[in-house]
Amino acid sequence: MESTKVSQDCVRGTKRSWKWRIIRIIILVLLLLFLYWNNNALSVTQYLYQNPEVPQGFEGYRIVHLSDLHNKVFGGENEPLLEQIAALDPDLIVLTGDFVDASNHTNYDKARLFMQQISKIAPSYYVLGNHEQLLPEEEMQQFLADVVSYGVHHVQDEMITISAENGDSLQLIGLSNRSLYTTKLKTMMAEESKEALYLLLAHEPQLIDHYAETGVDLVFSGHAHGGQFRIPFVNIGIYAPDQGLFPNLVEGMHTVQNTTIVVSRGLGNSAFPFRLFNRPEIVCVTLSAG
Ligand SMILES: [Fe+2]
């Protein structure tokens, strides 16, 4: 009698443990799917930049801003990424660094593939991030030569005039990451009459006070990866390089003095392999005189 009871308890216990094992597996699968979605489902953020200095020929001008791809490839060959960018119908594409990763998954071929693809959508302008500056000089020079041969403009510490169809123009400055901490930008802007609209491509956003001091109008940055993990509902990032815990400049549009900075959460990951509540971001800024 007693042994029958023991064996019934044993069967019940085994059934219960199987039930819990299945529940645990389902929870794990759901978590993995959620993580995959967090890191692969692209989001598009659109901003309107209003400034009376926007020339008439640039009214409604659309700039797609991409950053920090870190050798990630969306889909088989970036199809979802390219489709969403093309759907935004950009007049200009700006690429603010860290497209080649310098940690454990450096892959020039993946970055080459992306550069070839992006230049076919709209005129594209690329500045280097902190990752590209860590790579061997010779390899980077070869990569940059290839990038330029695909039609992407590598903007290295220079000011380029972008012209509209009606002859209006704006000035696009690109600083390589190496030059962000120097007085190069200040020197460049000191020679300007400040009648034009000045756009700056600079990988690191935490130097905003330095950029604002020079009088540039609109800055595009990345680098902070949205704070890597974000706290949902309150929308706060946890950590960013060079800004530490609970950083301020990890996404969004911010204004300091007369300078506006747009910070992209970026598209990929570096040594830390995933992001949470922080989907890969395509940014699109429309210019208007207001
Ligand atoms: Fe990065």
Side-chain angles (χ1 to χ4, degrees), residues 166-197:
N166 71 346
D168 285 345
S169 63
L170 55 76
Q171 299 303 117
L172 179 77
I173 303 164
L175 287 186
S176 64
N177 206 73
R178 200 168 272 132
S179 304
L180 295 181
Y181 294 85
T182 67
T183 55
K184 233 168 222 176
L185 177 64
K186 212 170 173 179
T187 313
M188 240 189 257
M189 286 300 289
E191 291 166 8
E192 294 297 306
S193 61
K194 194 59 199 89
E195 274 159 15
L197 187 78

Side-chain angles (χ1 to χ4, degrees), residues 11-234:
V11 169
R12 237 177 269 140
T14 312
K15 269 186 185 165
R16 213 175 297 142
S17 91
W18 268 107
K19 210 160 91 185
W20 280 115
R21 214 171 284 175
I22 289 166
I23 289 170
R24 277 204 294 268
I25 291 169
I26 291 171
I27 291 171
L28 187 68
V29 169
L30 288 175
L31 280 173
L32 287 174
L33 285 173
F34 182 67
L35 204 60
Y36 180 84
W37 180 77
N38 261 260
N39 286 269
N40 291 280
L42 288 154
S43 63
V44 176
T45 310
Q46 302 218 39
Y47 300 106
L48 177 66
Y49 173 72
Q50 290 182 305
N51 182 338
E53 286 178 40
V54 170
Q56 206 190 344
F58 288 90
E59 184 63 39
Y61 195 80
R62 293 164 74 76
I63 302 173
V64 162
H65 173 206
L66 307 169
S67 200
D68 298 84
L69 184 62
H70 286 280
N71 290 141
K72 187 174 173 63
V73 176
F74 289 86
E77 284 201 340
N78 282 325
E79 299 87 346
L81 176 62
L82 298 167
E83 276 167 23
Q84 295 210 38
I85 296 167
L88 290 165
D89 194 20
D91 296 292
L92 191 80
I93 298 172
V94 293
L95 311 165
T96 53
D98 284 8
F99 283 79
V100 189
D101 188 84
S103 66
N104 51 1
H105 56 267
T106 303
N107 189 320
Y108 290 95
D109 287 339
K110 286 182 178 178
R112 277 193 189 93
L113 169 72
F114 171 78
M115 291 293 173
Q116 263 174 322
Q117 294 165 325
I118 201 72
S119 61
K120 289 175 188 156
I121 298 178
S124 303
Y125 292 80
Y126 170 46
V127 292
L128 305 186
N130 58 310
H131 272 255
E132 284 102 340
Q133 89 178 25
L134 293 171
L135 292 161
E137 184 68 22
E138 214 171 291
E139 288 178 14
M140 264 315 288
Q141 287 311 322
Q142 183 55 59
F143 172 72
L144 288 171
D146 294 339
V147 163
V148 170
S149 77
Y150 306 145
V152 173
H153 303 261
H154 169 218
V155 198
Q156 189 176 22
D157 308 332
E158 57 189 318
M159 191 181 293
I160 291 171
T161 301
I162 308 278
S163 299
E165 278 172 15
N166 71 346
D168 285 345
S169 63
L170 55 76
Q171 299 303 117
L172 179 77
I173 303 164
L175 287 186
S176 64
N177 206 73
R178 200 168 272 132
S179 304
L180 295 181
Y181 294 85
T182 67
T183 55
K184 233 168 222 176
L185 177 64
K186 212 170 173 179
T187 313
M188 240 189 257
M189 286 300 289
E191 291 166 8
E192 294 297 306
S193 61
K194 194 59 199 89
E195 274 159 15
L197 187 78
Y198 292 90
L199 271 47
L200 170 66
L201 312 185
H203 182 64
E204 299 187 18
Q206 76 279 2
L207 301 172
I208 179 61
D209 289 338
H210 167 58
Y211 308 146
E213 228 175 76
T214 68
V216 291
D217 296 288
L218 179 58
V219 185
F220 293 90
S221 292
H223 187 50
H225 296 203
Q228 198 73 34
F229 289 0
R230 295 186 67 77
I231 305 171
F233 310 114
V234 287

